[in-house]
């Protein structure tokens, strides 16, 4: 007996529904998708594309949510428009024991540098208290970070990078270092200093105590020679030191600090550190036998010719300088190219004084276009540096693709 039409239709409909059901993707595949979305950036390098993509993934299902939520809160993009929503999610109550959220433990990188008048100092302290269990990188906001945030900061035991270069109200260096004394993993520190707080000046201990595993130190602000001398002996683990916008420090104080840092591999003398000129360049180089990278801003009293024929062309011994990378900032010059196209720099590289150099970068401001003779000379220098890098072979630390001489515009 043939089946009834309605039963036959019902059977086909049921088979069609079962065949159209698609299997769910495993969590490992979704995590790979979330990793790909997390690496996305817009053309201007904005965080918005990445954060919106991860947020959209969390709305699909519970499995997609589990794959994307950790990366979404790993380094949240915080701006003025979404800051209050971020605070309500992370700190719904002043009492830390009420409605505690597990999202706070997912935050590893907290960048609040884009916040100016959003929030308050007490709110910053509350946020640090919530994220202390997992926080590894913290960039402080401009107006809402002060000494009352140090107590919460001292509990971030996994912190390895701390950036205080944007804060408007400087804090005592001694109090800051005491607060981070328990952060045994702290390796990168950027501080903004002034003439010194009363706590720093009146302390019975003359020198600061630095984190023992510190590798990178960035110093900025109008600190005086007295404050710089209180830095004392920097930790032996330090390999990268930067001075940026420090107009009051003198070259004598800088040299006093550098005399006990023979382990330095990178040194930066940034803009507005005008009291430090290239006349002392030779002393730094020979006091720092492991220095491989030097970033130097020439002041209006300096010139390329003075650097080449003065410091670099007269080494105190027959051994070459250890420099492998030299970056010269020429923004203070109306005509920065004067003296560059002579043979002094070429001879220093070719005959041995700078025989270790493999990368040379000149940075100039807009409107100071180099003449054709200088461009041709820099191109010839680039060919020489690439040839030297090619001769290094397997022992090269800067390969042939990265070696050369370059002119950059700021």
């Amino acid at each position: 007996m043939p089946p009834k039409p309605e039963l036959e239709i019902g059977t086909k409909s049921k088979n069609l529904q079962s065949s159209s059901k698609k299997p769910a993707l495993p969590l490992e595949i979704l995590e790979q998708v979330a990793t790909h979305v997390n690496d996305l950036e817009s053309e201007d390098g904005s965080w918005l594309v990445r954060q919106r993509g991860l947020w959209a993934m969390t709305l699909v299902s519970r499995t997609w949510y589990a794959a994307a939520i950790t990366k979404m809160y790993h380094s949240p993009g915080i701006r003025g428009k979404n800051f209050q929503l971020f605070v309500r999610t992370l700190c719904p109550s002043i009492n830390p024991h009420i409605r505690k959220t597990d999202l706070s433990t997912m935050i590893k990188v907290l960048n609040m540098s884009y916040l100016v008048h959003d929030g308050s100092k007490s709110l910053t302290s509350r946020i640090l208290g919530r994220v202390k269990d997992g926080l590894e990188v913290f960039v402080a906001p401009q107006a809402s970070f002060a000494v009352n945030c140090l107590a919460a900061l001292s509990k971030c035991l996994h912190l390895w990078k701390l950036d205080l270069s944007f804060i408007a109200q400087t804090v005592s260096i001694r109090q800051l270092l005491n607060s981070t004394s328990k952060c045994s993993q702290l390796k990168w520190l950027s501080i903004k200093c002034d003439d010194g707080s009363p706590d720093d000046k009146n302390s019975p201990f003359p020198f600061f105590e630095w984190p023992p595993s510190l590798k990178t130190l960035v110093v900025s602000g109008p600190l005086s020679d007295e404050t710089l001398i209180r830095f004392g002996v920097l930790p032996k683990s330090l390999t990268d030191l930067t001075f940026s916008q420090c107009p009051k420090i003198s070259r004598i104080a800088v040299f006093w600090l550098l005399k006990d840092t023979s382990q330095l591999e990178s040194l930066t003398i940034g803009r507005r550190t005008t009291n430090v000129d290239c006349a002392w360049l030779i002393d730094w180089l020979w006091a720092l036998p492991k220095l491989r990278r030097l970033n130097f801003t020439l002041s209006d009293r300096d010139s390329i010719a003075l650097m080449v024929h003065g410091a670099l062309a007269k080494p105190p011994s027959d051994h070459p300088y250890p420099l492998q990378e030299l970056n010269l900032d020429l923004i203070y010059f109306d005509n920065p190219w004067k003296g560059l196209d002579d043979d002094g720099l070429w001879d220093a590289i070719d005959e041995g004084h700078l025989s270790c150099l493999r990368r040379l970068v000149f940075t100039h401001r807009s409107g100071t276009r180099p003449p054709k003779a200088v461009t041709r000379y820099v191109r010839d220098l680039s060919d020489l540096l690439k040839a030297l890098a090619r001769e290094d072979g397997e022992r090269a630390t800067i390969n042939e693709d990265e070696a050369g001489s370059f002119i950059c515009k700021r």
Side-chain angles (χ1 to χ4, degrees):
M1 181 177 180
K4 295 182 179 180
E6 58 268 15
L7 293 179
E8 185 178 359
I9 295 174
T11 305
K12 289 183 179 181
S13 175
K14 184 177 180 180
N15 293 336
L16 182 63
Q17 291 178 1
S18 61
S19 62
S20 63
K21 186 178 180 181
K22 298 180 180 179
L25 291 174
L27 183 61
E28 292 78 6
I29 300 298
L30 296 179
E31 289 178 349
Q32 292 294 326
V33 175
T35 301
H36 175 72
V37 174
N38 190 48
D39 295 336
L40 291 178
E41 286 187 356
S42 62
E43 295 180 355
D44 59 350
S46 174
W47 53 272
L48 196 58
V49 173
R50 171 182 59 84
Q51 190 147 301
R52 282 181 173 176
L54 293 173
W55 173 71
M57 286 187 64
T58 61
L59 303 180
V60 177
S61 66
R62 292 180 180 271
T63 307
W64 286 64
Y65 176 91
I69 192 63
T70 302
K71 290 180 172 57
M72 180 178 174
Y73 276 89
H74 179 274
S75 54
I78 304 174
R79 302 296 188 272
K81 293 182 178 180
N82 64 350
F83 178 64
Q84 293 301 326
L85 182 61
F86 173 78
V87 171
R88 289 198 298 269
T89 303
L90 205 64
C91 307
S93 172
I94 298 179
N95 191 336
H97 300 290
I98 296 180
R99 296 178 60 188
K100 184 177 180 180
T101 172
D102 294 334
L103 298 177
S104 59
T105 59
M106 300 179 184
I107 298 179
K108 307 298 182 183
V109 180
L110 183 60
N111 186 356
M112 302 177 68
S113 61
Y114 293 94
L115 304 177
V116 182
H117 299 294
D118 306 277
S120 61
K121 300 178 179 65
S122 60
L123 183 57
T124 302
S125 179
R126 283 172 51 198
I127 293 176
L128 287 174
R130 291 300 179 104
V131 302
K132 63 180 185 295
D133 293 335
L135 190 65
E136 298 177 358
V137 177
F138 176 62
V139 183
Q142 180 176 350
S144 55
F145 185 90
V147 65
N148 58 336
C149 301
L150 295 180
L153 189 65
S154 64
K155 299 178 182 178
C156 301
L157 303 182
H158 301 287
L159 197 69
W160 70 267
K161 181 176 181 179
L162 176 60
D163 189 349
L164 303 181
S165 59
F166 296 98
I167 61 175
Q169 181 181 349
T170 57
V171 298
S172 166
I173 302 178
R174 193 177 303 277
Q175 291 183 2
L176 171 65
L177 295 178
N178 289 339
S179 300
T180 57
S181 60
K182 295 182 180 180
C183 302
S184 58
Q185 303 179 27
L186 188 62
K187 298 178 180 178
W188 197 101
L189 177 62
S190 177
I191 54 177
K192 187 175 182 179
C193 312
D194 52 16
D195 285 337
S197 65
D199 181 71
D200 295 336
K201 294 181 178 180
N202 301 328
S203 174
F205 304 100
F207 302 119
F208 302 141
E209 295 185 8
W210 299 94
S213 53
L214 189 66
K215 291 186 176 181
T216 301
L217 176 62
V218 181
V219 182
S220 61
L223 73 161
S224 61
D225 285 351
E226 180 184 358
T227 305
L228 186 61
I229 291 175
R230 288 181 178 273
F231 280 26
V233 179
L234 297 175
K236 295 301 181 182
S237 59
L238 189 71
T239 58
D240 190 347
L241 178 62
T242 298
F243 292 98
S244 177
Q245 301 192 22
C246 303
K248 293 184 178 181
I249 60 174
S250 67
R251 58 189 183 183
I252 298 178
V254 173
F255 184 71
W256 183 90
L257 182 67
L258 294 178
K259 65 182 178 62
D260 294 322
T261 56
S262 59
Q263 76 280 2
L264 273 187
E265 298 178 3
S266 177
L267 175 64
T268 300
I269 305 296
R271 298 181 181 182
R272 294 191 62 194
T273 313
T274 53
N275 292 328
V276 182
D277 51 41
C278 70
W280 284 66
L281 185 62
I282 185 172
D283 296 314
W284 293 339
L285 290 178
W286 291 104
L288 305 173
K290 297 182 180 180
L291 192 67
R292 299 293 180 265
R293 183 187 301 108
L294 176 63
N295 306 317
F296 194 84
T297 301
L298 294 178
S299 66
D300 52 2
R301 302 186 302 272
D302 299 327
S303 67
I304 296 178
L306 175 62
M307 180 199 69
V308 173
H309 297 292
L312 296 183
K314 298 179 181 178
S317 70
D318 296 333
H319 299 286
Y321 290 103
L323 278 181
Q324 296 182 358
E325 181 177 348
L326 179 60
N327 302 302
L328 296 177
D329 199 334
L330 313 173
I331 63 167
Y332 292 115
F333 294 93
D334 295 328
N335 183 19
W337 315 109
K338 184 178 180 181
L340 177 59
D341 56 347
D342 59 18
D343 295 332
L345 185 57
W346 181 282
D347 294 339
I349 296 175
D350 192 30
E351 295 181 359
H353 302 332
L354 288 176
S355 61
C356 296
L357 192 67
R358 297 296 179 266
R359 183 177 175 87
L360 178 61
V361 180
F362 301 98
T363 303
H364 67 99
R365 66 186 181 188
S366 301
T368 57
R369 185 177 179 179
K372 293 182 179 179
V374 171
T375 304
R376 186 166 51 253
Y377 180 76
V378 171
R379 190 184 305 116
D380 294 340
L381 277 178
S382 184
D383 294 338
L384 174 62
L385 292 172
K386 286 182 177 295
L388 293 174
R390 186 165 54 250
E391 293 177 0
D392 292 339
E394 297 181 355
R395 55 187 178 87
T397 55
I398 298 179
N399 57 43
E400 184 180 355
D401 295 334
E402 298 174 347
S405 180
F406 309 93
I407 296 179
C408 303
K409 181 172 64 175
R410 190 180 296 276

